[in-house]
Amino acid sequence: MEEIYKTYEKPIFHYFYGLTGNAHLAEELTQETFFQVLRTFSGFRGEAQVTTWLYKVARNVYSMWKRKHKASYPLPEPELLKGPASYEPDTVLELKEKLTLTSRVLQELPENYREVFWLREWHELAYEQIAVIMGKNVSWVKVTLHRARLQFRKNYAEKEGKE
């Protein structure tokens, strides 16, 4: 169990951070996920990969949290937007602006688009794994991801032109 925690704690945290945009909430949900994993570990039959199972537990934790709270999705905390010290100030500013815009556009996507997009693009999970996590088939995942990418590009281009 300790090895699973060490291996997957950061990816699960980043999954939640991508969904909520809030580091403190992501940490809380990560801890709840591993608490649930610890409670239900004896029920893990090995039919799915550990990664897939963990993300499915995480998704259930997020769904339960969302039902209890009317979810709002803030932008990332400013301290997480700092660039490397070696960058020129103009470069850091440009990176911060692009990251803020990217985050805003992601948060405005419909939740299923955002979740599939996040699992595929940032966590690099296979379509099959995402299908298991989402409780859908692979075709649904591919279509949803395609639509999410199109929507993201369209919204990003529109917002980029306005700012």
Side-chain angles (χ1 to χ4, degrees), residues 17 19-23 25 71-77 103-104 107:
Y17 184 75
L19 292 175
T20 66
N22 182 303
L25 178 58
S72 64
Y73 302 100
L75 293 175
E77 291 88 2
S103 178
R104 187 177 303 133
Q107 295 301 324

Side-chain angles (χ1 to χ4, degrees), residues 46-57:
E47 294 171 356
Q49 295 176 349
V50 172
T51 306
T52 306
W53 178 65
L54 283 171
Y55 277 101
K56 191 163 179 113
V57 171

Side-chain angles (χ1 to χ4, degrees), residues 78-140:
E79 67 270 10
L80 296 175
L81 300 176
K82 293 178 182 165
S86 62
Y87 285 6
E88 293 295 320
D90 289 346
T91 304
V92 172
L93 181 61
E94 185 179 331
L95 286 172
K96 285 182 180 182
E97 288 172 353
K98 285 184 178 184
L99 185 57
T100 300
L101 179 59
T102 299
S103 178
R104 187 177 303 133
V105 171
L106 276 172
Q107 295 301 324
E108 291 174 358
L109 288 177
E111 188 167 348
N112 61 333
Y113 284 14
R114 185 174 59 249
E115 191 169 3
V116 170
F117 190 87
W118 196 255
L119 289 170
R120 180 69 181 165
E121 300 299 335
W122 273 270
H123 293 272
E124 299 177 338
L125 295 181
Y127 294 119
E128 294 78 13
Q129 290 175 297
I130 298 169
V132 170
I133 292 165
M134 301 292 289
K136 304 286 185 176
N137 62 42
V138 174
S139 296
W140 180 90

Side-chain angles (χ1 to χ4, degrees), residues 6-40:
K6 286 179 182 177
T7 304
Y8 294 104
E9 184 262 337
K10 285 185 181 172
I12 296 296
F13 170 84
H14 288 288
Y15 167 73
F16 287 129
Y17 184 75
L19 292 175
T20 66
N22 182 303
H24 297 291
L25 178 58
E27 181 64 35
E28 184 181 315
L29 294 172
T30 300
Q31 294 304 316
E32 178 62 24
T33 297
F34 283 99
F35 175 72
Q36 293 300 326
V37 165
L38 187 59
R39 277 191 28 194
T40 61

